[in-house]
């Protein structure tokens, strides 16, 4: 068996181990050779035992003084305790952010509710205004379809129709206007209901506009009819100067009648009546020639007959209009009542 040896560094005597055992490390412990010279035994185990016993005879090492001997805890000074590294901007920012978040959570639901309530209020106000204006529309319809209404009476119809025109336009704007959006983290249901509800407003506004148009068209037709063959007082006899004046006046009446006829719609509830008016205007050109000829001949009976004939023709045009006016009044009045019922239901459904 080959002997193995470990190179020993100078001063390396394992003093750390001796000190750990409480042995004075200033004196060298006996080596195995020194023990072998002082005893007769040659057994290694006995030599090691005897070496260990001699090591135990070395004086005990002095125990170092404990540096914490006599120490007791004391209260930390205020100066030392106040030198903590506190990041105040971060703390203040966190407080402000938390406060802002709390305010937002409190404010956003109320703001969303306010938006929905304001928009619902606009819809409710427009519906209420339209419902109120339907009464004026009935009054306008009565005037427009009354056979005895004069031109001044018919001119007042536009005033009664102004309200329903405005309220219908306002309701139509709301029907086409997008509903406001809800704020984040708030209920969407009220806005979804308003969005679906606004779609039902357009038919109401369209019907109100159509009714207003029907009454206005009737009024315009009758005002145009009032200008057809609107003759001044016609003389039974006249001199040459008066005949010249009458010739110019009748020419103006014909021009005015033709212009009024072009304003009357060829379709609609008065289409058949317009055909009658067209025939009378065409016949007036021949009538004025006959009337002027009777004046020149100083034929008063013929002049009177011609005047009576024209007066009867104009009256017949008015009489022929009574039937269409009555039918129109019944139809439109029923639509007004139906619209009023629909608007009333809509008002009850406004959130």
């Amino acid at each position: 068996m080959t002997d193995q040896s470990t190179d020993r560094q100078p001063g390396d005597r394992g003093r750390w181990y001796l000190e750990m055992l409480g042995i004075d490390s200033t004196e060298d412990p006996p080596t195995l050779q020194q023990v072998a010279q002082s005893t007769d035994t040659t057994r290694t185990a006995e030599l090691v035992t005897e070496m260990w016993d001699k090591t135990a005879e070395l004086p005990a090492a002095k125990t170092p003084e404990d540096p914490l001997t006599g120490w007791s805890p004391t209260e930390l000074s205020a100066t030392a305790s106040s030198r903590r590294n506190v990041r105040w901007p971060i703390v203040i920012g966190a407080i402000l952010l938390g406060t802002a978040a709390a305010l937002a959570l409190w404010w956003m639901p109320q703001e969303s509710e306010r938006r929905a309530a304001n928009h619902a209020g606009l819809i409710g106000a427009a519906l209420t205004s339209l419902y109120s204006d339907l009464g004026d529309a009935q009054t306008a319809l009565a005037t427009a379809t009354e056979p005895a209404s004069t031109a001044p009476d018919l001119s007042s119809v536009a005033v009664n129709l102004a309200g329903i025109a405005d309220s219908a336009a306002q309701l139509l704007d709301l029907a086409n206007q997008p509903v406001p959006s809800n704020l984040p983290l708030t209920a969407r249901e009220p806005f979804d209901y308003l969005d679906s509800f606004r779609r039902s407003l357009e038919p109401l506004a369209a019907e109100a506009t159509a009714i207003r148009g029907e009454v206005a068209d009737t009024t315009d037709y009758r005002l145009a009819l009032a200008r057809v063959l609107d003759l001044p007082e016609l003389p039974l006899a006249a001199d040459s100067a008066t005949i010249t004046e009458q010739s110019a006046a009748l020419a103006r009446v014909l021009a005015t009648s033709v212009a009024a006829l072009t304003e009357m719609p060829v379709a609609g509830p008065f289409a058949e009546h317009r055909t009658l008016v067209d025939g009378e205007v065409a016949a007036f050109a021949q009538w004025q020639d006959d009337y002027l000829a009777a004046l020149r001949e100083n034929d008063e009976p013929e002049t009177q007959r011609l005047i009576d004939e024209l007066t009867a023709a104009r009256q017949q045009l008015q009489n022929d209009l009574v039937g269409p006016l009555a039918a129109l009044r019944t139809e439109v009045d029923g639509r007004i009542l139906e619209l009023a019922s629909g608007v009333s239901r809509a008002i009850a459904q406004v959130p």
Side-chain angles (χ1 to χ4, degrees), residues 195-266:
D195 189 58
S196 62
F197 183 74
R198 74 177 177 86
R199 298 189 183 96
S200 64
L201 303 179
E202 185 172 358
L204 299 176
E207 177 64 3
T209 302
I211 289 173
R212 184 262 174 200
E214 292 276 2
V215 178
D217 290 344
T218 301
T219 304
D220 292 341
Y221 186 89
R222 295 195 62 187
L223 287 173
L225 180 62
R227 302 200 312 270
V228 173
L229 306 181
D230 184 17
L231 297 171
E233 184 177 356
L234 298 174
L236 296 177
D239 55 21
S240 59
T242 304
I243 293 174
T244 302
E245 293 176 358
Q246 289 297 318
S247 177
L250 293 175
R252 288 194 296 270
V253 169
L254 179 60
T256 302
S257 299
V258 172
L261 183 64
T262 59
E263 296 176 6
M264 297 178 178
V266 296

Side-chain angles (χ1 to χ4, degrees), residues 25 108 166 172 221 273:
S25 61
M108 286 191 296
D166 293 341
L172 186 61
Y221 186 89
H273 187 268

Side-chain angles (χ1 to χ4, degrees), residues 131-192:
Y131 186 84
S132 176
D133 292 333
L134 289 177
D136 292 337
Q138 281 186 311
T139 302
L141 175 65
T143 303
T145 56
E146 173 57 48
S149 295
T150 61
D153 296 332
L154 294 172
S155 299
S156 67
V157 170
V159 177
N160 291 328
L161 292 178
I164 192 173
D166 293 341
S167 58
Q170 182 181 4
L171 190 63
L172 186 61
D173 288 342
L174 289 173
N176 296 323
Q177 178 181 338
V179 174
S181 300
N182 63 310
L183 293 176
L185 304 179
T186 59
R188 178 63 193 172
E189 288 76 9
F191 297 90
D192 291 338

Side-chain angles (χ1 to χ4, degrees), residues 8-29 58 61:
R8 298 183 62 187
Q9 299 297 328
D12 184 10
R13 297 182 179 275
R15 288 189 175 90
W16 62 273
Y17 180 72
L18 297 176
E19 291 176 356
M20 184 183 68
L21 297 177
I23 301 174
D24 188 1
S25 61
T26 58
E27 296 185 10
D28 293 334
L58 294 175

Side-chain angles (χ1 to χ4, degrees), residues 17 52 146 148 192 252 272 288-289 313 330 350:
Y17 180 72
W52 177 258
E146 173 57 48
D192 291 338
R252 288 194 296 270
E272 294 183 4
Q288 70 174 340
D289 288 343
T330 300
V350 175

